[in-house]
């Protein structure tokens, strides 16, 4: 596949998609960003042409919009060409958010991207959508250059996938934050929880299903312990409610009761 | 330290504590369990004397009760000696649950124990409690034979630690279960979430604080995405409530609003 790619945006997704493309010898010809210094900052790492001027956007085969959800539609107007494929990388925005006269698609990587963290790009699942089979195949080929995992899904399924990522990543991380706060209030280091967090993760990674991996007072239907924990959360209605709801959800899963 | 240990119980905690002690050349002289076959089953791995008869419990320096919380008090009556130290391994049961005339203590390992999974015992934090300094030191020495992490904490703090383990292990695992169900309903493999789960864990393991590691729609205060996710959860009041509460908790943490 000899396709030229332009990246629109210069945030964490743009940084990692650019890097993943270049590592797999895909030609990234330009980075466009409305703020020049961010585009400059990371295009210089790779010696790629960069610009903040819409009029300077070059002709390419594929344009990948890597901006925030809110900016996708506006940015999508900037591509002045018709004979090209413009895709965005969002899990929750439909194809119709792309507003130009070009061909349209989705190129959604399921991962959380931080600027300073290395990622195994070949493990990131890509979810593809396009208006026709030909463009679907172009995007599948592009994704497969980066990753072992590339799938065609419609917008509804993509939103479900995006939401399941919220449960395993955003909400899980927030539980870690809550535990961190509990430890801090007790003058205990959060470090003591890390071996337990590691084992929680490793059970799943070793292909034990989450259903089978479950342990704890709610799984055992141990109401005495549950009540003790709730009693020390009484002063914090947010944590009290969250503990109750999560416990009830586990009870419902294993003991079919609320 | 030349102490003889008797293990009371033959479940997962008993199995791993026995193994951890033996690997560190602590003398486990007997395993007692009310059901003989379970004690037999794992004591034979190590050629340790085992019994189901209270009258056959041998004299030792330390008795470690590794049963369920509910059984601790009853089992604690079985130790017929006074010149010994009897401890239990529960995170949520007070010292006073131990009923004999012997010296009493707590020997609580913060980890989730599955029979078939190898664990790095030297990484497991042990939390110690005793009635006097001398016994505290005996238990600290015993814990430090197994692990690099051993601390003296009172019962109140131990309950807080136990509860923080529920947040990072039991509740986190339940979020994985929920995501697994969402995937299953969409005919998507849970495998696609594993790289994201891995990165969630690795950020914490690489000493990024959970506060700094947070990403996602609630962190960004992205109400459009939040509403989209809630709309696809409308038919499941349990998930709808959980999603709302977790999202509100993140909003409160980063945007100081409900």
């Amino acid at each position: 596949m000899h396709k030229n790619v332009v990246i629109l945006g210069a945030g964490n997704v743009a940084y990692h998609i650019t890097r993943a493309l270049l590592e797999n010898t895909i030609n990234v010809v330009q980075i466009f960003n409305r703020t020049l210094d961010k585009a400059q900052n990371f295009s210089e790492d790779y010696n790629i042409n960069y610009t903040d001027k819409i009029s300077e956007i070059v002709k390419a085969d594929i344009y990948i919009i890597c901006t925030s959800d809110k900016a996708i539609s506006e940015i999508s107007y900037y591509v002045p060409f018709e004979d090209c494929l413009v895709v965005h990388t969002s899990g929750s925005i439909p194809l119709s958010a792309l507003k130009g006269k070009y061909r349209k698609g989705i190129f959604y990587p399921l991962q959380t991207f931080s600027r300073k963290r290395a990622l195994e790009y070949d493990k990131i699942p890509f979810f593809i959508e396009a208006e026709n089979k030909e463009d679907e195949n172009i995007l599948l080929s592009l994704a497969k250059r980066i990753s072992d995992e590339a799938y065609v899904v419609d917008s509804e399924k993509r939103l479900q996938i995006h939401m399941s990522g919220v449960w395993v990543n955003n909400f899980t991380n927030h539980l870690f934050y809550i535990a961190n706060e509990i430890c801090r209030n007790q003058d205990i280091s959060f470090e003591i929880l890390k071996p337990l967090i590691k084992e929680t993760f490793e059970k799943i990674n070793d292909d034990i299903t989450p259903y089978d991996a479950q342990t704890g007072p709610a799984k055992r239907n141990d109401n005495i312990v549950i009540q003790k924990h709730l009693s020390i959360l009484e002063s914090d209605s947010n944590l009290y409610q969250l503990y109750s709801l999560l416990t009830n959800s586990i009870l419902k899963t294993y003991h079919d009761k609320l």
Side-chain angles (χ1 to χ4, degrees), chain A:
Chain A
M1 194 170 87
H2 298 286
K3 302 283 183 193
N4 288 332
V5 175
V6 168
I7 301 289
L8 302 154
N12 293 337
V13 176
Y15 174 81
H16 282 287
I17 293 286
T18 303
R19 206 172 149 149
L21 291 170
L22 292 173
E23 281 182 9
N24 293 285
T25 64
I26 307 282
N27 202 15
V28 180
V29 292
Q30 187 179 50
I31 292 163
F32 167 83
N33 198 53
R34 288 181 291 189
T35 333
L36 196 61
D37 57 344
K38 274 185 87 180
Q40 179 174 10
N41 189 19
F42 89 76
S43 65
E44 279 184 344
D45 289 357
Y46 303 114
N47 198 24
I48 305 169
N49 172 280
Y50 60 90
T51 183
D52 64 345
K53 294 188 182 57
I54 300 168
S55 62
E56 289 181 356
I57 294 178
V58 297
K59 183 79 177 72
D61 302 300
I62 303 173
Y63 296 79
I64 305 180
I65 299 177
C66 301
T67 62
S68 69
D69 286 4
K70 268 172 266 192
I72 289 171
S73 276
E74 191 189 333
I75 297 275
S76 79
Y77 281 114
Y78 298 171
V79 179
F81 309 106
E82 295 188 10
D83 178 23
C84 61
L85 179 57
V86 178
V87 301
H88 73 67
T89 51
S90 165
S92 52
I93 299 288
L95 206 63
S96 57
L98 300 169
K99 299 299 187 188
K101 288 186 175 161
Y102 38 71
R103 287 135 48 223
K104 301 173 179 83
I106 313 280
F107 192 70
Y108 169 53
L110 178 63
Q111 186 48 283
T112 180
F113 296 97
S114 316
R115 178 64 180 272
K116 286 176 182 164
R117 294 184 57 75
L119 287 167
E120 294 176 289
Y121 298 127
D122 59 336
K123 299 284 189 298
I124 299 176
F126 279 82
F127 298 94
I128 299 304
E129 190 178 343
E131 296 168 311
N132 58 62
K133 210 73 196 162
E134 203 179 327
D135 288 339
E136 228 175 71
N137 286 333
I138 289 173
L139 293 175
L140 272 178
S141 301
L142 188 68
K144 283 181 178 167
R145 286 287 289 272
I146 298 173
S147 168
D148 302 333
E149 309 288 332
Y151 307 91
V152 176
V153 297
D154 61 22
S155 289
E156 198 195 315
K157 202 169 249 192
R158 180 162 42 87
L159 183 61
Q160 294 274 1
I161 292 165
H162 183 247
M163 185 186 64
S164 65
V166 168
W167 290 91
V168 301
N169 171 258
N170 306 157
F171 290 166
T172 290
N173 187 75
H174 189 60
L175 297 186
F176 296 164
Y177 168 77
I178 289 170
N180 195 351
E181 288 299 292
I182 294 167
C183 287
R184 206 164 56 89
N185 291 335
Q186 296 293 320
D187 285 317
I188 301 161
S189 167
F190 182 64
E191 291 299 313
I192 61 148
L193 289 172
K194 288 191 175 176
L196 182 57
I197 291 172
K198 191 176 178 210
E199 176 67 2
T200 309
F201 159 75
E202 282 184 354
K203 280 169 89 168
I204 298 304
N205 202 41
D206 291 350
D207 293 330
I208 300 175
T209 68
Y211 185 89
D212 290 333
Q214 191 66 50
T215 58
K219 165 72 186 298
R220 293 194 306 273
N221 199 7
D222 185 340
N223 199 43
I224 295 169
V225 171
I226 292 167
Q227 290 308 322
K228 280 184 188 176
H229 288 169
L230 285 172
S231 75
I232 56 177
L233 291 172
E234 257 172 1
S235 61
D236 188 322
S237 70
N238 179 42
L239 293 191
Y240 188 94
Q241 277 186 72
L242 260 178
Y243 187 102
S244 303
L245 209 51
L246 285 160
T247 291
N248 287 340
S249 184
I250 299 171
L251 287 172
K252 208 176 132 192
T253 304
Y254 293 90
H255 303 282
D256 197 24
K257 66 176 196 181
L258 273 170

